[in-house]
């Protein structure tokens, strides 16, 4: 049943009055989104090497009383335009995320994208338990995800424009 509602995709964008190069340190550091998200509490590169394809990211999340840890792999890293990571591993991710920067008049456009994939936890088990509610489950999760993604791009834009990293 989840193949009828997944993959689910979403994106949010914001204009930023700084160059793509000025945004890069913020979009390529997994700790930065945690400063603005209500769900992502902390994230860091496991090996400390910084942004590069193959780098591992550990994230700590909370939603109400529920907490969980994620493990992601950087699958694309193109300075200063694209930072993409796959949660749950590059081969069979539960979600693929990206922060993308495009030059624009007066600065840049920052876009945060997500793909929630079929057949992977946490959505697949929830859908299996209630297949008649598959659309409701996915739509509810996507609403929370998009709200936090908007917080992240707005927060990054504000920090970049204020010169606070």
């Amino acid at each position: 049943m989840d193949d009828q509602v997944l993959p689910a995709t979403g994106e949010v964008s914001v204009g930023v009055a700084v160059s793509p190069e000025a945004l890069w340190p913020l979009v390529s550091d997994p700790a930065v989104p945690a400063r603005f998200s209500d769900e992502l509490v902390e994230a860091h590169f496991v090996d400390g090497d910084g942004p590069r394809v193959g780098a591992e990211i550990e994230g700590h999340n909370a939603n109400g009383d529920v907490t969980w840890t994620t493990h992601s792999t950087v699958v694309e890293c193109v300075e200063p335009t694209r930072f993409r990571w796959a949660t749950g591993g590059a081969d069979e991710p539960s979600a693929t995320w990206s922060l993308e920067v495009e030059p624009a008049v007066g600065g840049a456009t920052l876009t945060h994208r997500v793909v929630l994939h079929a057949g992977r936890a946490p959505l697949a088990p929830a859908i299996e338990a209630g297949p008649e509610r598959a659309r409701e489950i996915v739509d509810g999760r996507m609403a929370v995800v998009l709200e936090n993604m908007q917080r992240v791009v707005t927060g990054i834009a504000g920090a970049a424009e204020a010169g606070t990293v």
Side-chain angles (χ1 to χ4, degrees):
M1 175 59 120
D2 66 348
D3 62 340
Q4 295 173 1
V5 295
L6 292 172
T9 62
E11 70 177 58
V12 297
S13 294
V14 65
V16 190
V18 301
S19 69
E21 293 77 13
L23 277 173
W24 181 250
L26 298 170
V27 302
S28 63
D29 180 350
V32 172
R35 292 170 39 193
F36 309 110
S37 174
D38 282 351
E39 193 168 87
L40 178 62
V41 176
E42 176 199 2
H44 62 274
F45 289 112
V46 173
D47 60 12
D49 285 343
R52 61 174 173 72
V53 172
E56 298 292 322
I57 300 168
E58 183 174 281
H60 300 278
N61 303 273
N63 189 326
D65 293 336
V66 178
T67 62
W68 67 98
T69 299
T70 60
H71 297 277
S72 302
T73 303
V74 176
V75 294
E76 191 173 6
C77 186
V78 181
E79 184 176 350
T81 60
R82 184 172 295 121
F83 186 70
R84 184 181 318 236
W85 64 101
T87 300
D91 294 332
E92 294 186 26
S94 58
T96 305
W97 307 84
S98 68
L99 286 164
E100 299 176 27
V101 181
E102 294 289 330
V105 175
T109 300
L110 174 61
T111 302
H112 199 348
R113 291 187 169 93
V114 66
V115 178
L116 303 179
H117 298 283
R120 306 285 291 165
L123 291 178
I127 291 169
E128 283 179 27
E132 70 286 351
R133 296 183 48 243
R135 174 60 58 199
E136 177 186 345
I137 290 165
V138 172
D139 288 351
R141 181 65 187 141
M142 187 60 80
V144 171
V145 167
L146 288 170
E147 185 176 307
N148 277 296
M149 289 168 57
Q150 187 65 56
R151 283 188 182 97
V152 168
V153 295
T154 302
I156 289 174
E161 291 170 350
T164 58
V165 176

